[in-house]
Amino acid sequence: MSLLFDPGSRQAAAPLYEALEEFKEARIVPFDVPGHKRGRGNPELTAFLGQKCMDVDVNSMKCLDNLCHPVSVIKEAEELAAEAFGAAHAYFMVGGTTSSVQAMVLTACKPGDEIILPRNVHRSVLNAVMLCGAVPVYVNPETDKDLGICLGMCREAVAAAIQAHPAAVAVLVNNPTYYGICSDLRSIVQLAHQKGMLVLADEAHGTHFYFDKNLPLSAMAAGADMAAVSMHKSGGSLTQSSLLLSGPGVSEGYVRQIINLTQTTSGSYLLMSSLDLSRRNLALHGDEIFEKVRNLAQYGRDEINNIGGYYAYGRELRNGDSVYDFDETKLLVNTLPVGLAGIEVYDLLRDEYDIQTEFGDLGNILAYISVGDRVRDVERLVGALAEIRRRFGRPGANLMKSEYIEPIVVCGPQKAFYGAKVSLPLKEALGKVCTEYVMCYPPGIPILAPGELVTQEIIDYILYAKAKGCSMTGPEDLDIERLNVLKE
Ligand SMILES: Cc1ncc(COP(=O)(O)O)c(C=O)c1O
């Protein structure tokens, strides 16, 4: 299902944006925060960002509503977003999709509750689980051994987890993963709902699913209860703006209370108005926008596959279960046959060709395609990849793949994170229980999470990823030479 609206429909309105335009006309004298007072107090910043930005960088007030308790223009803008996305309620979020994910998990779970989820989730999910003291029940995702990527969750594995943990309160699903892979969400919703569990979808990479019927099913269309949607990724809004969606079975007031546990009381009107305008744009023009994006990504895929060596993969990966569907807008390229790690190609593109891709892992790169791209940009990428193969390719090189390492969970993440700990050199941490995260960012999927056993395989992986130049994060020791582990 995709939701598209007529220019004559109420989706043509943008209530928050319109209220800000009216507010500008009113020329109100500001004796409130922010102290830059429409930019006059900070000329350098105003010259940098422009007067138009400073004019609407304002605080909540009567005519502009309040994000913590919306009753007028924010409420109307959220109602339009809910309609556009086929949700019962939509919440404007200003702390990134991290804040949407957090609100979703904290709505579903209380301390001690079990939540079923794949282990290849973004750090925001595990952090939310840790914050609320929930207990993760991992469903190991399938992996594609050639590409070195995680796939989705198999229906059977989800059913088995539900059966083994009947008291779990929710199942969380990536829709899709960073690599464009979708699980069979509709079936997972059925399985979970039969046992009274909520279904939460991390749709950080799935905003466009709502507006193009040729793309995989969106969470709301599949009957999920909540979804965290990165409008700032494929939706075109400003960085850090995001949407949280909920279905009819979830209390709007309770979700608002949960959001207000951690949300700022000074929500940015720049971010919120960008959500309002982007929602209008997608509701009215999403079909044309994403058709163009799909075609551009396909063009890139075909051209890259014509170079030879590289494998730009697409819908042929679908297998009816662990790759139930694939997001064709993602231009993913496996670089291993060329004899280069994904991160090496990522670095070469950046350093030698001034091309910034979304990420490079051990075996793949992701070129993020959006409505802002032009054919000639894609051609530049293709040309650069062809040259990299010729100049730097090492066919037959012995390269590690970023395969998923099944975690050995010893205790819950909250218990480990707050437990008594010692700091050890990485190699001496072997056999100990880690109390922090280690991950390559992006994609931000932890290699180690608090409560998991440090194995030789994990140490080798960290050392290899570091040597290849992956940007690594998580531990207290920023150089990742030491790890915090539970004191024995
Ligand atoms: C799968 C997934 N979930 C959640 C997030 C968090 O989004 P944000 O960076 O907007 O907080 C990301 C970020 O990349 C992500 O990849």
Side-chain angles (χ1 to χ4, degrees):
M1 181 172 74
S2 67
L3 299 161
L4 291 165
F5 296 85
D6 195 83
S9 72
R10 64 188 204 122
Q11 287 292 327
L16 184 52
Y17 154 75
E18 287 154 18
L20 283 163
E21 286 287 18
E22 260 178 49
F23 163 79
K24 279 199 292 187
E25 295 297 314
R27 308 186 70 81
I28 291 162
V29 182
F31 280 104
D32 64 349
V33 293
H36 63 62
K37 307 276 171 133
R38 319 285 187 266
R40 280 194 306 276
N42 195 339
E44 214 175 358
L45 183 64
T46 306
F48 178 58
L49 291 180
Q51 186 62 49
K52 285 187 173 165
C53 261
M54 303 309 274
D55 278 344
V56 292
D57 183 45
V58 290
N59 201 13
S60 295
M61 61 183 81
K62 220 186 231 175
C63 61
L64 294 179
D65 210 352
N66 186 323
L67 183 62
C68 296
H69 186 90
V71 291
S72 60
V73 286
I74 295 179
K75 183 175 192 302
E76 287 164 34
E78 288 186 339
E79 282 168 1
L80 286 172
E83 181 185 63
F85 283 80
H89 301 288
Y91 311 82
F92 280 12
M93 305 296 287
V94 291
T97 299
T98 294
S99 62
S100 307
V101 165
Q102 224 170 53
M104 207 163 62
V105 173
L106 267 67
T107 298
C109 302
K110 295 189 293 301
D113 282 344
E114 286 182 324
I115 174 167
I116 296 170
L117 70 168
R119 173 60 173 72
N120 59 323
V121 283
H122 185 256
R123 62 186 292 179
S124 57
V125 175
L126 296 179
N127 279 338
V129 168
M130 187 165 87
L131 280 174
C132 71
V135 178
V137 173
Y138 293 126
V139 172
N140 284 311
E142 296 260 291
T143 56
D144 183 313
K145 299 225 171 352
D146 294 325
L147 298 176
I149 62 171
C150 287
L151 306 178
M153 294 190 287
C154 290
R155 286 180 294 267
E156 214 173 278
V158 177
I162 289 176
Q163 199 174 6
H165 299 269
V169 294
V171 179
L172 185 139
V173 186
N174 291 313
N175 193 50
T177 66
Y178 221 146
Y179 298 79
I181 310 278
C182 296
S183 304
D184 181 359
L185 189 53
R186 208 195 293 269
S187 299
I188 292 173
V189 167
Q190 270 171 10
L191 288 167
H193 282 181
Q194 274 164 13
K195 298 289 175 196
M197 298 176 192
L198 293 176
V199 175
L200 316 178
D202 181 345
E203 291 196 314
H205 304 286
T207 311
H208 42 299
F209 291 1
Y210 288 86
F211 302 98
D212 183 345
K213 60 182 180 319
N214 296 297
L215 289 172
L217 195 65
S218 69
M220 286 297 120
D225 299 283
M226 299 185 86
V229 179
S230 277
M231 276 291 267
H232 74 87
K233 291 197 167 92
S234 57
S237 64
L238 289 180
T239 295
Q240 213 171 307
S241 61
S242 176
L243 281 180
L244 174 63
L245 305 177
S246 62
V250 180
S251 156
E252 181 191 5
Y254 184 62
V255 173
R256 184 75 63 195
Q257 284 182 324
I258 294 284
I259 291 172
N260 283 333
L261 288 178
T262 49
Q263 180 176 263
T264 175
T265 48
S266 309
S268 159
Y269 279 86
L270 293 172
L271 298 185
M272 289 189 276
S273 55
S274 84
L275 285 170
D276 199 23
L277 283 174
S278 304
R279 179 274 312 155
R280 175 165 81 178
N281 187 36
L282 295 183
L284 301 181
H285 309 295
D287 53 348
E288 307 147 46
I289 292 174
F290 295 117
E291 185 186 4
K292 186 176 164 213
V293 174
R294 265 190 293 112
N295 290 340
L296 206 51
Q298 189 55 45
Y299 171 69
R301 241 186 316 272
D302 292 343
E303 291 295 307
I304 292 166
N305 284 332
N306 281 339
I307 298 172
Y310 298 108
Y311 174 32
Y313 38 100
R315 298 184 87 198
E316 68 279 7
L317 295 187
R318 289 179 305 164
N319 61 16
D321 198 358
S322 61
V323 189
Y324 189 74
D325 212 342
F326 182 82
D327 173 9
E328 283 180 273
T329 69
K330 303 264 182 315
L331 181 51
L332 282 145
V333 185
N334 188 261
T335 61
L336 294 172
V338 172
L340 292 167
I343 185 66
E344 290 174 316
V345 174
Y346 170 96
D347 283 340
L348 286 167
L349 283 169
R350 183 72 184 81
D351 299 342
E352 302 269 329
Y353 298 91
D354 293 331
I355 293 174
Q356 179 65 55
T357 51
E358 174 70 8
F359 74 76
D361 68 12
L362 295 191
N364 306 272
I365 57 165
L366 169 62
Y368 200 87
I369 307 290
S370 84
V371 67
D373 289 306
R374 299 161 299 182
V375 171
R376 66 171 181 271
D377 299 321
V378 176
E379 281 167 351
R380 193 158 153 208
L381 172 70
V382 174
L385 286 173
E387 215 174 288
I388 287 175
R389 178 183 182 221
R390 191 168 44 76
R391 287 176 63 197
F392 304 99
R394 297 183 306 252
N398 185 21
L399 296 169
M400 189 190 258
K401 297 172 183 174
S402 52
E403 255 176 49
Y404 172 72
I405 302 175
E406 204 173 310
I408 301 174
V409 180
V410 180
C411 67
Q414 194 184 60
K415 191 172 166 199
F417 186 77
Y418 291 112
K421 52 193 130 190
V422 285
S423 164
L424 292 179
L426 185 59
K427 287 184 179 165
E428 287 173 36
L430 179 66
K432 312 280 186 207
V433 179
C434 192
T435 64
E436 52 192 4
Y437 293 105
V438 184
M439 72 196 86
C440 299
Y441 205 101
I445 298 160
I447 300 157
L448 259 179
E452 294 176 2
L453 198 71
V454 183
T455 62
Q456 191 58 51
E457 197 180 4
I458 288 171
I459 293 175
D460 291 345
Y461 187 104
I462 294 171
L463 292 173
Y464 181 84
K466 271 178 75 176
K468 285 288 176 198
C470 288
S471 147
M472 300 197 79
T473 166
E476 198 172 334
D477 172 22
L478 299 178
D479 297 326
I480 326 224
E481 274 166 11
R482 303 179 73 84
L483 270 188
N484 286 346
V485 296
L486 276 184
K487 210 170 178 172
E488 286 171 346

